[in-house]
C-alpha cells in the first residue's frame, strides 16, 4: 500500500504508520478482521476488531481511488493536457473531492452554455478575458460579430459563459467556497406540497428551520433531507452571495493578477454568474452530501452498537422452552422446543377475547409443561403480550421455570424467509415465528444471525443512510459478535457458521454436510477433511470453533492450534499434563508469560493464552435476569406524570432511548433526561437493559410518552 495512504489512514484513525501498514499487509495475505484482532496483536499493537475494521474500510477506499486515478490520468493524457505537475497532484491525492476537482475540466459533461459559445468560435475571446490581456473587451468582441454572433454583447456574453465555466472548475475556488459553506447555516422551508399534505405534519418543526451546519445533530439533518426527498421541504445553505463573489474574484486575481478597466468588469460579471448558476448549486449539494455522510456515519455507528448489544444479549442457555407468539382473535401460537431448539409440539390456545377460553387454555398449557419438561417460557412482546404474561403467571410453573418477554422484531420476516422454509418445510409461518421467539430466548446470537439486521427494529433512519456503508458496518458487527462468543462446531447452524472468520456460506454448508456424514467432529484438526476447506481457511476459523468433549481440551477453548505447542511447554514446565493445566487457574497463575515468548508469539499472545487457560471457553455474555412490568399499568391512560416504572430499553438513537414500560407505545428518554449536555445515549444505556424511569409528560392525542432515566 502506498505510503501516502498509510500516513493518511494513520492520522485519520489516530494510529501509528506501522500499525496501518501491518494491517494492510495482513489483509493482502487474506487474513480476516477477527483473526487479526485476536491472534495477531503483536503486528497491530493490540488493535481491537472495530479499529481493524476501520483500517480495512480505508484500505478498500484507497484501492478504489487508485483505479479512479488510472482512469483520470488516461482521460487527461488522451486530451493532451497531462503535465508532470498535474500528474503528481493526482497521484498524491488522498481526498476524492480534491481528485474530482482536478479532473473536472476534462470530465465529459452534457452540453452547456459554454459549449455553445465554443461552437460559435468565442473561446479565443474568452482566453483574452481570462488572461486579463484585453484592454478593450468591446473592441476585441467586434471581431467575432457575424452571421452566428449578432452583436458585441452576444460575443461578450458567450465569452463570459466560458470564463464562468472555467471559474466553476477551478480547484482552489471550489475548495475555498466549500470552507465558506461549511461555516454557514443549513435552512429548510416548507413547500406548497408540504403545506397541503397531512403526511408532512411530522416534519412541522422543520417548516422554517435554520441551524449552523457544523452543529446540526445527525437525526435533524437526516430528517430534513428525507422531507426534501418526499417533496415537503426545500433545503439549502444560506451562503452570502456578495461575500462568495468577492472570494471567487480574489482567488481569480491571485492566479491571474488584477484585471483593469473593462476587462475587470467582464470578469466580475462572469464571477457573479458562475456563483449563482454553477457554483452555488454545486457546492451546496456537495457540502450537504458531505454533512449527510457524517450524519450517516454517526447513525450507522449507533446502529452497529445497538446490533452488538442485541446480538450479545444474555442467553438462558439450553433449556426446554415453551415459546408463545401472543394474540387476541387469532389466539396464542405455542411451540415447545427441546434443549437444542428442535420443535417438539405446537398448538394454538385462545385465553383472550373474543373467545375467552381461559380454562381450556390453562389445562392445555399445564399438560404441555408437564409432558415436555418445560424449563423456561418465552413470550413475544407484540400484541397481547402483557395479557399473555398475566395469564401465564396464573399457572403453576415447574420448579425453576421462569417467564421471559422476548422481542418479536423481525420474527415475521424470518418466518417467511427461505431459511425458515428450509428449517421447517412442513410448518406454516405462525409456527416458525413462535419457534424463533423461543430460540431467541435460548441463544439470541444463534437465532438473530438468520435475520437481516435492518429488520430488527434498532437504529434510526436506516433507509436514509448510505446502504453500502450500513451493510459493511452491520456485517462486521455480526462477524465480530459471533467470533467473540465462539461457535460450537458440532451443533451450530450453517447460518451461524457462515459468520465465523474464514468460512462463509459455501464452506458452512460443507461443514454441516461433513458433520452429518461423520457423526460430528472429534477434533479441530478434522476440519481439514472438509471439502474445499484449505490451510488458510483453517488458520482463520479454527480458534473461533469449539468442540465440547474433545480429546484435546484446547479444542474447546479460544487457544489457536498454532499455539498448542506453547501450552504443552507450559504444562511440562509445571510437571503436569495439558489436560491438568487447562481450566486450573491456580496452576496458570504460577506461569511467567515472558518465559514462553517466541518470535511468532509475543507477550500479548502469551498473556491471552494464559487468560484463556484459566477460564477456557468463557462466554462473554451476561446471565439472563427476570423482569416484570408494573402490574397496574396496561395502557397510556393509566400513566400519570411523576410515576416511577420499570422498563426495558428497546432502541437507542443519538437523541435518546426508547423504553417499553408494558403498554402499546414505547416512551422516550430524551438525551437531556439522561445526563448533562453532550451525553452519548449509547454510553448510558444498553439495548434490552432493564431500567427505572419517571414519567415526565403524556400526550394522549399523539400517543407520546416522555420519560426521565432514574439512577
Amino acid at each position: 500500500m502506498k505510503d501516502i495512504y498509510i500516513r493518511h489512514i494513520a492520522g485519520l484513525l489516530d494510529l501509528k504508520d506501522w500499525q496501518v501498514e501491518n494491517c494492510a499487509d495482513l489483509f493482502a495475505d487474506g487474513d480476516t478482521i477477527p483473526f487479526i484482532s485476536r491472534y495477531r496483536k503483536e503486528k497491530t499493537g493490540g488493535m481491537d476488531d472495530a479499529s481493524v475494521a476501520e483500517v480495512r474500510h480505508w484500505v478498500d477506499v484507497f484501492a478504489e481511488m487508485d483505479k479512479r486515478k488510472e482512469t483520470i490520468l488516461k482521460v487527461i493524457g488522451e486530451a493532451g493536457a497531462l503535465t508532470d505537475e498535474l500528474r503528481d497532484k493526482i497521484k498524491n491525492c488522498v481526498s476524492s473531492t480534491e481528485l474530482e476537482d482536478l479532473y473536472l475540466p476534462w470530465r465529459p459533461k452534457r452540453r452547456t452554455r459554454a459549449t455553445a459559445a465554443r461552437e460559435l468560435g468565442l473561446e479565443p475571446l474568452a482566453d483574452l478575458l481570462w488572461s486579463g490581456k484585453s484592454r478593450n473587451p468591446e473592441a476585441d468582441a467586434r471581431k467575432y460579430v457575424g452571421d452566428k454572433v449578432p452583436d458585441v454583447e452576444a460575443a461578450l456574453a458567450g465569452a463570459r459563459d466560458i470564463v464562468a465555466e472555467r471559474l466553476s472548475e477551478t480547484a482552489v475556488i471550489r475548495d475555498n467556497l466549500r470552507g465558506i459553506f461549511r461555516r454557514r447555516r443549513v435552512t429548510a422551508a416548507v413547500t406548497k406540497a408540504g403545506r397541503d399534505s397531512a403526511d408532512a405534519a411530522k416534519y412541522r418543526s422543520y417548516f422554517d428551520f435554520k441551524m449552523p451546519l457544523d452543529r446540526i445533530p445527525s437525526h435533524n439533518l437526516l430528517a430534513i433531507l428525507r422531507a426534501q426527498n418526499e417533496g415537503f421541504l426545500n433545503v439549502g445553505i444560506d451562503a452570502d452571495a456578495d461575500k462568495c463573489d468577492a472570494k471567487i474574484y480574489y482567488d481569480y486575481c491571485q492566479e491571474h493578477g488584477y484585471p483593469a478597466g473593462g476587462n475587470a468588469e467582464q470578469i466580475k460579471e462572469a464571477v457573479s454568474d458562475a456563483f449563482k448558476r454553477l457554483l452555488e448549486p454545486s457546492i451546496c449539494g456537495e457540502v450537504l452530501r458531505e454533512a449527510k455522510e457524517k450524519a450517516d456515519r454517526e447513525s450507522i455507528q449507533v446502529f452497529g452498537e445497538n446490533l452488538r448489544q442485541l446480538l450479545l444479549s444474555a442467553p438462558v442457555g439450553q433449556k426446554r422452552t415453551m415459546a408463545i407468539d401472543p394474540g387476541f382473535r387469532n389466539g396464542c401460537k405455542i411451540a415447545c422446543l427441546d434443549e437444542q431448539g428442535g420443535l417438539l409440539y405446537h398448538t394454538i390456545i385462545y385465553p383472550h377475547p373474543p373467545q375467552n377460553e381461559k380454562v381450556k387454555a390453562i389445562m392445555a398449557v399445564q399438560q404441555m409443561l408437564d409432558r415436555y419438561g418445560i424449563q423456561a417460557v418465552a413470550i413475544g412482546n407484540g400484541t397481547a403480550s402483557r395479557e399473555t404474561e398475566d395469564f401465564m403467571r396464573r399457572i403453576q410453573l415447574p420448579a425453576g421455570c421462569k417467564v421471559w418477554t422476548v422481542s418479536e422484531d423481525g420474527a415475521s420476516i424470518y418466518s417467511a424467509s427461505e431459511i425458515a422454509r428450509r428449517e421447517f418445510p412442513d410448518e406454516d409461518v405462525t409456527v416458525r415465528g413462535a419457534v424463533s421467539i423461543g430460540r431467541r430466548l435460548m441463544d439470541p446470537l444463534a437465532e438473530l444471525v438468520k435475520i437481516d439486521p435492518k429488520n430488527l427494529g434498532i437504529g434510526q433512519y436506516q433507509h436514509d443512510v448510505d446502504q453500502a456503508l450500513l451493510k459493511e458496518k452491520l456485517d462486521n458487527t455480526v462477524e465480530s459478535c459471533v467470533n467473540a462468543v465462539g461457535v460450537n462446531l458440532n451443533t451450530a447452524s450453517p447460518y451461524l457458521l457462515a459468520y465465523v472468520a474464514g468460512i462463509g456460506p459455501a464452506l458452512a454448508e460443507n461443514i454441516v454436510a461433513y458433520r452429518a456424514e461423520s457423526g460430528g467432529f472429534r477434533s479441530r484438526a478434522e476440519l481439514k477433511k472438509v471439502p474445499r476447506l484449505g490451510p488458510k481457511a483453517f488458520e482463520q476459523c479454527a480458534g473461533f470453533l469449539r468442540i465440547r468433549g474433545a480429546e484435546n481440551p484446547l479444542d474447546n477453548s479460544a487457544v489457536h492450534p498454532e499455539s498448542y505447542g506453547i501450552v504443552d511447554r507450559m504444562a511440562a514446565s509445571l510437571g503436569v499434563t495439558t489436560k491438568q493445566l487447562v481450566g486450573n487457574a491456580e496452576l496458570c497463575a504460577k506461569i511467567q508469560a515472558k518465559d514462553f515468548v517466541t518470535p511468532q508469539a509475543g507477550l500479548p499472545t502469551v498473556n491471552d493464552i494464559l487468560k484463556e487457560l484459566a477460564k477456557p471457553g468463557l462466554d462473554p455474555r451476561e446471565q439472563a435476569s427476570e423482569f416484570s412490568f408494573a402490574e397496574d399499568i396496561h395502557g397510556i391512560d393509566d400513566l400519570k406524570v411523576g410515576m416511577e416504572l420499570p422498563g426495558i430499553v428497546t432502541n437507542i438513537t443519538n437523541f435518546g432511548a426508547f423504553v417499553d414500560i408494558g403498554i402499546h407505545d414505547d416512551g422516550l428518554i430524551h438525551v437531556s433526561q439522561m445526563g448533562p449536555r453532550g451525553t452519548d445515549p449509547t454510553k448510558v444505556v444498553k439495548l434490552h437493559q432493564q431500567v427505572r424511569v419517571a414519567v415526565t409528560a403524556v400526550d394522549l392525542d399523539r400517543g407520546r410518552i416522555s420519560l426521565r432515566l432514574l439512577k
Side-chain angles (χ1 to χ4, degrees):
M1 190 177 192
K2 294 178 181 177
D3 288 344
I4 54 168
Y5 298 150
I6 290 172
R7 289 194 297 270
H8 184 76
I9 296 172
L12 199 64
L13 304 181
D14 196 23
L15 297 171
K16 303 295 185 184
D17 290 4
W18 63 267
Q19 291 176 292
V20 176
E21 185 174 11
N22 285 347
C23 278
D25 290 343
L26 290 167
F27 291 137
D29 289 340
D31 291 335
T32 60
I33 293 168
F35 177 80
I36 292 171
S37 61
R38 181 69 174 86
Y39 297 112
R40 292 296 180 263
K41 290 183 177 179
E42 291 80 8
K43 286 187 174 293
T44 69
M47 290 166 57
D48 61 21
D49 53 0
S51 297
V52 176
E54 281 286 338
V55 173
R56 179 56 185 264
H57 169 79
W58 286 107
V59 167
D60 291 343
V61 165
F62 286 122
E64 288 301 312
M65 184 178 286
D66 269 341
K67 295 177 184 177
R68 180 64 175 158
K69 286 180 179 181
E70 289 176 12
T71 300
I72 289 172
L73 288 169
K74 181 180 178 182
V75 172
I76 298 176
E78 290 174 349
L82 188 59
T83 63
D84 290 342
E85 181 184 4
L86 181 56
R87 179 187 288 107
D88 289 343
K89 282 184 177 179
I90 290 172
K91 286 188 173 181
N92 290 321
C93 257
V94 293
S95 162
S96 59
T97 301
E98 181 186 352
L99 180 62
E100 295 304 323
D101 277 353
L102 292 171
Y103 178 46
L104 189 56
W106 295 276
R107 188 170 64 192
K109 56 178 72 73
R110 59 183 176 82
R111 182 178 172 81
T112 64
R113 281 165 45 174
T115 306
R118 290 188 184 96
E119 291 172 353
L120 294 174
L122 295 173
E123 187 143 37
L125 178 59
D127 290 340
L128 280 173
L129 298 179
W130 182 252
S131 65
K133 294 178 180 178
S134 177
R135 296 181 179 277
N136 189 336
E138 288 77 8
D140 291 330
R142 287 194 189 93
K143 303 172 186 176
Y144 297 90
V145 175
D147 294 340
K148 296 180 180 179
V149 182
D151 51 41
V152 168
E153 181 49 40
L156 288 172
R160 288 196 302 270
D161 286 341
I162 296 172
V163 171
E165 186 168 275
R166 290 181 185 178
L167 290 167
S168 75
E169 293 176 347
T170 300
V172 67
I173 288 174
R174 297 183 68 86
D175 192 49
N176 286 335
L177 281 183
R178 286 189 199 98
I180 292 173
F181 273 63
R182 288 172 185 140
R183 295 189 294 272
R184 301 298 297 177
R185 295 182 301 179
V186 61
T187 64
V190 65
T191 62
K192 183 179 184 304
R195 282 194 298 270
D196 298 341
S197 173
D199 293 335
K202 58 189 173 185
Y203 302 117
R204 188 177 296 117
S205 57
Y206 302 112
F207 280 6
D208 183 16
F209 179 84
K210 294 181 178 67
M211 183 175 286
L213 188 60
D214 59 357
R215 283 177 31 211
I216 185 170
S218 60
H219 60 276
N220 289 140
L221 182 63
L222 292 173
I224 64 175
L225 292 178
R226 175 192 283 181
Q228 181 186 45
N229 290 335
E230 293 175 2
F232 300 143
L233 293 178
N234 287 322
V235 180
I237 297 176
D238 67 346
D240 186 308
D242 290 338
K243 289 183 179 179
C244 290
D245 284 356
K247 181 59 180 169
I248 297 169
Y249 186 68
Y250 175 80
D251 289 337
Y252 165 84
C253 293
Q254 287 291 99
E255 180 69 23
H256 300 279
Y258 285 85
N263 201 102
E265 294 306 313
Q266 295 296 323
I267 293 297
K268 287 179 179 178
E269 281 193 55
V271 163
S272 182
D273 176 51
F275 177 73
K276 183 177 180 180
R277 181 168 58 88
L278 301 173
L279 283 165
E280 183 177 28
S282 175
I283 299 299
C284 180
E286 284 185 16
V287 172
L288 282 175
R289 282 193 296 274
E290 180 184 90
K292 182 183 180 298
E293 287 171 6
K294 180 176 180 288
D296 284 356
R297 288 193 297 271
E298 291 178 3
S299 294
I300 289 170
Q301 183 65 32
V302 172
F303 204 132
E305 184 57 33
N306 284 351
L307 178 60
R308 180 179 297 278
Q309 293 173 12
L310 182 62
L311 294 178
L312 296 181
S313 296
V316 300
Q318 294 182 319
K319 296 180 182 289
R320 290 194 159 226
T321 300
M322 173 180 287
I324 307 176
D325 184 0
F328 288 115
R329 181 174 298 278
N330 295 321
C332 297
K333 279 69 70 178
I334 297 183
C336 296
L337 311 177
D338 64 21
E339 292 88 343
Q340 283 72 44
L343 179 61
L344 300 172
Y345 176 75
H346 65 84
T347 188
I348 301 177
I349 59 173
Y350 300 91
H352 310 309
Q355 290 90 342
N356 282 316
E357 298 177 354
K358 281 188 170 57
V359 174
K360 185 177 178 181
I362 289 172
M363 293 176 62
V365 169
Q366 202 70 62
Q367 288 177 349
M368 286 183 276
L369 291 171
D370 296 338
R371 181 176 179 183
Y372 298 106
I374 298 301
Q375 299 168 295
V377 177
I379 301 174
N381 68 342
T383 303
S385 176
R386 283 297 304 279
E387 291 77 5
T388 304
E389 183 182 348
D390 292 343
F391 165 75
M392 286 300 300
R393 294 193 187 282
R394 298 177 186 176
I395 295 175
Q396 185 168 356
L397 300 174
C401 181
K402 299 177 181 178
V403 177
W404 314 80
T405 302
V406 178
S407 171
E408 291 183 6
D409 286 326
S412 60
I413 301 293
Y414 160 78
S415 63
S417 70
E418 177 60 30
I419 293 175
R421 288 193 291 272
R422 287 181 61 185
E423 289 191 306
F424 301 103
D426 300 324
E427 307 296 347
D428 65 22
V429 292
T430 61
V431 175
R432 298 170 189 160
V435 171
S436 183
I437 289 170
R439 288 178 170 178
R440 290 181 187 204
L441 178 65
M442 298 168 71
D443 190 341
L445 179 61
E447 187 64 17
L448 294 176
V449 295
K450 303 173 187 176
I451 303 169
D452 186 333
K454 289 187 287 186
N455 294 318
L456 292 175
I458 54 177
Q460 58 175 327
Y461 298 103
Q462 64 190 57
H463 301 295
D464 300 285
V465 300
D466 184 315
Q467 295 301 294
L469 200 60
L470 177 62
K471 184 179 186 305
E472 177 186 316
K473 178 66 175 181
L474 299 185
D475 285 348
N476 286 341
T477 301
V478 176
E479 183 182 55
S480 170
C481 292
V482 169
N483 290 282
V485 171
V487 172
N488 188 325
L489 183 56
N490 282 323
T491 61
S493 71
Y495 318 108
L496 187 60
L497 285 167
Y499 282 103
V500 174
I503 292 182
L507 276 181
E509 294 288 353
N510 291 352
I511 290 171
V512 171
Y514 177 89
R515 186 174 73 194
E517 292 174 6
S518 64
F521 290 89
R522 287 161 288 280
S523 70
R524 281 171 168 169
E526 197 176 345
L527 272 167
K528 298 175 182 178
K529 297 180 181 179
V530 173
R532 305 189 69 178
L533 199 154
K536 191 65 180 181
F538 178 80
E539 175 193 56
Q540 299 299 302
C541 73
F544 303 107
L545 297 169
R546 310 282 183 267
I547 302 175
R548 293 179 182 172
E551 175 63 24
N552 187 338
L554 295 176
D555 283 348
N556 192 36
S557 75
V559 178
H560 196 281
E562 66 185 10
S563 297
Y564 283 7
I566 295 175
V567 179
D568 292 339
R569 290 197 299 276
M570 288 176 174
S573 73
L574 297 174
V576 299
T577 66
T578 297
K579 282 188 176 180
Q580 290 172 322
L581 177 61
V582 176
N584 191 321
E586 188 176 337
L587 285 176
C588 291
K590 297 179 180 180
I591 297 171
Q592 294 294 316
K594 61 182 176 58
D595 296 339
F596 296 91
V597 171
T598 70
Q600 292 74 35
L603 195 58
T605 292
V606 177
N607 281 328
D608 279 351
I609 291 171
L610 286 172
K611 189 184 300 182
E612 182 65 19
L613 290 176
K615 294 182 178 180
L618 180 67
D619 192 325
R621 295 173 290 183
E622 297 176 354
Q623 293 294 312
S625 57
E626 272 192 294
F627 175 84
S628 296
F629 291 112
E631 293 184 2
D632 55 342
I633 303 297
H634 294 273
I636 193 170
D637 293 335
D638 297 326
L639 297 177
K640 298 288 185 291
V641 172
M643 279 184 170
E644 295 186 2
L645 304 168
I648 295 178
V649 178
T650 58
N651 197 6
I652 305 172
T653 70
N654 282 334
F655 56 84
F658 290 91
V659 177
D660 182 359
I661 53 175
I663 63 175
H664 182 268
D665 302 295
D666 285 356
L668 172 65
I669 310 174
H670 190 267
V671 63
S672 62
Q673 298 296 314
M674 288 185 170
R677 184 181 179 86
T679 295
D680 180 354
T682 63
K683 300 292 192 294
V684 179
V685 293
K686 295 182 179 180
L687 208 62
H688 290 181
Q689 179 181 337
Q690 298 174 12
V691 295
R692 284 196 65 79
V693 295
V695 179
T696 59
V698 181
D699 186 336
L700 294 176
D701 293 334
R702 295 195 290 177
R704 292 187 176 180
I705 306 159
S706 299
L707 305 171
R708 175 169 54 86
L709 182 66
L710 298 174
K711 302 299 183 184

